[in-house]
């Protein structure tokens, strides 16, 4: 292999996966200390990389044909974090001479260095899925995984502006883009948020996307504590700013959960249909609450039965975890 001066990392497509792949990104940085390291990312996750100092530049992906054209002759090596055939095909089309990644989705022949997904990553945090790929490709992974994000000052200031600076604030993230199976019951979120906010003398910010606004309004109606609904009102960088200002986040398993954990914001995450072993939030101030359910993790978008993985989660238990986390 020729020397690597210009290196491109193809980012995962979802916010949570971006956070969980940050330790691998930092390993790549250490493996190529002198190279210019850029990231190709979907527009809805690209801003996160602007909060990662190891990254020298961010390109937004605009679709396969446009990506192939814009990348032509620009890089010596592309490392692919997503598993898709398409992500490898674009790099091949663009003529990137070295293309490395897992040999998944029938793309092995498009890769110049490849490895299989090792069995031992199953049942462990996805952090190790990405790191195992680097090891399979012959790169070193060093030290404890660092999936932290540092909120840029201006993002934090914008977050404070959106909240109003008369906190403290606790956040509620009751949606989950993937599907309803991942969502705890909104009235239970409201009950827990109310208890915690009253006890902490805090206000409640409900965060999420535009589609989650009706859900957020319903939660706001169930609260007696002061509340601000920010669903649909924040860009990704503004959401990072808001999450960085929270005293605590109550959340489903979702992108904002992973971002809050990476920022070091204390959080309680309710897990049901998803795998608590593979996609838990990072960080020492994150707590996962779940109940043993014979069908979990099913990884379905919608529950085909009675959603017992979520209805069994007791609000008292969630509130107790939250209060312990914010205790002085
Ligand atoms: S099938 Fe089981 S794990 Fe899946 S959403 Fe329904 S209750 Fe939860």
């Amino acid at each position: 292999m020729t020397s690597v001066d210009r290196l491109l990392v193809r980012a995962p497509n979802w916010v949570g996966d971006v956070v969980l792949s940050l330790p691998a990104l930092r390993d790549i940085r250490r493996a190529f200390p002198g190279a210019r390291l850029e990231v190709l990312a979907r527009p809805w996750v690209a801003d996160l990389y602007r909060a990662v100092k190891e990254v020298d530049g961010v390109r937004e992906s605009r679709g396969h044909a446009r990506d192939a054209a814009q990348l032509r002759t620009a890089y010596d090596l592309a490392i692919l974090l997503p598993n898709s055939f398409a992500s490898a095909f674009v790099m091949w089309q663009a003529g990137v001479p070295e293309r490395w990644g897992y040999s998944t989705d029938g793309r092995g022949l498009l890769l110049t260095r490849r490895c299989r997904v090792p069995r031992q990553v199953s049942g462990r945090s996805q952090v190790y899925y990405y790191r195992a790929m680097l090891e399979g490709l012959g790169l070193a992974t060093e030290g404890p995984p660092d999936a932290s994000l540092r909120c840029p000052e201006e993002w934090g200031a914008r977050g404070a502006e959106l909240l109003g600076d008369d906190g403290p604030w606790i956040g509620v993230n009751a949606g989950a883009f993937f599907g309803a199976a991942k969502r705890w019951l909104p009235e239970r979120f409201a009950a827990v948020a109310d208890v915690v906010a009253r006890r902490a003398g805090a206000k409640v910010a409900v965060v999420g996307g535009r589609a989650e606004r009706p859900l957020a309004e319903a939660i706001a109606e169930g609260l007696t504590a002061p509340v601000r609904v920010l669903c649909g009102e924040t860009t990704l960088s503004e959401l990072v700013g808001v999450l960085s200002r929270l005293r605590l986040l109550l959340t489903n398993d979702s992108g904002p959960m992973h971002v809050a954990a990476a920022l070091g914001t204390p959080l309680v995450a309710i897990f049901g249909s998803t795998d608590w072993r593979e996609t838990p939030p990072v960080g020492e101030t994150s707590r996962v609450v779940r109940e043993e359910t014979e069908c979990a993790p099913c990884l379905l978008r919608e529950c085909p039965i009675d959603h017992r993985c979520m209805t069994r989660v007791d609000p008292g238990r969630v509130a107790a975890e939250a209060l312990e986390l914010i205790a002085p």
Side-chain angles (χ1 to χ4, degrees), residues 181 272-273 293 295-298 300 302-310:
S273 61
T293 310
C295 45
C298 69
L300 296 172
E302 305 289 333
C303 180
I305 50 172
D306 56 4
H307 213 196
R308 66 190 66 169
C309 62
M310 284 300 191

Side-chain angles (χ1 to χ4, degrees), residues 92-206:
W92 176 80
Q93 268 190 319
V96 180
E98 289 289 330
R99 304 172 297 276
W100 297 1
Y102 273 135
S103 55
T104 45
D105 203 24
R107 66 185 189 177
L109 284 177
L110 294 173
L111 301 176
T112 56
R113 197 181 288 192
R114 65 194 75 84
C115 60
R116 290 184 189 281
V117 179
R119 240 177 307 161
Q120 61 268 29
V121 298
S122 172
R124 296 185 78 197
S125 167
Q126 207 171 300
V127 160
Y128 298 101
Y129 180 88
Y130 294 113
R131 283 193 127 184
M133 184 186 87
L134 300 186
E135 288 161 9
L137 295 173
L139 301 179
T141 60
E142 285 173 24
D146 176 5
S148 63
L149 277 174
R150 184 195 54 81
C151 180
E153 247 175 59
E154 62 275 21
W155 295 8
R158 176 69 183 137
E161 197 181 311
L162 284 162
L163 288 166
D165 56 2
D166 48 353
W169 290 87
I170 65 164
V172 175
N173 174 51
F177 183 75
F178 181 75
K182 286 172 88 168
R183 294 183 191 147
W184 198 39
L185 286 67
E187 61 274 19
R188 295 192 190 179
F189 268 117
V192 174
D194 221 26
V195 167
V196 177
R198 293 267 161 215
R199 197 76 71 83
K203 298 171 183 175
V204 180
V206 189

Side-chain angles (χ1 to χ4, degrees), residues 17 39 73 105-106 124 137 140 189 224 241 251 254 260 264 278 286 293 297:
D17 295 338
V39 171
T73 72
D105 203 24
R124 296 185 78 197
L137 295 173
F189 268 117
T224 59
T251 181
S254 61
E278 296 193 354
S286 299
T293 310

Side-chain angles (χ1 to χ4, degrees), residues 192-317:
V192 174
D194 221 26
V195 167
V196 177
R198 293 267 161 215
R199 197 76 71 83
K203 298 171 183 175
V204 180
V206 189
V207 298
R210 190 174 304 284
E212 288 150 4
R213 192 146 185 117
L215 182 70
E217 302 282 7
I219 289 171
E221 275 175 28
L223 289 167
T224 59
V227 59
R228 186 95 203 269
V229 174
L230 292 173
C231 281
E233 294 180 10
T234 52
T235 62
L236 180 56
S237 61
E238 288 172 337
L239 177 63
V240 172
V242 168
L243 293 172
S244 75
R245 296 283 163 154
L246 298 178
R247 179 96 182 272
L248 172 88
L249 179 69
L250 302 168
T251 181
N252 292 321
D253 174 17
S254 61
M257 171 195 80
H258 287 291
V259 172
L263 291 166
T265 300
L267 65 86
V268 182
I270 297 108
F271 271 63
S273 61
T274 50
D275 198 326
W276 62 97
R277 299 157 303 186
E278 296 193 354
T279 56
V282 297
E284 287 169 11
T285 53
S286 299
R287 302 263 176 100
V288 169
V289 175
R290 56 175 291 274
E291 291 295 341
E292 278 303 322
T293 310
E294 54 288 352
C295 45
C298 69
L299 307 180
L300 296 172
R301 289 179 188 271
E302 305 289 333
C303 180
I305 50 172
D306 56 4
H307 213 196
R308 66 190 66 169
C309 62
M310 284 300 191
T311 58
R312 285 179 182 172
V313 176
D314 173 40
R317 198 177 145 211

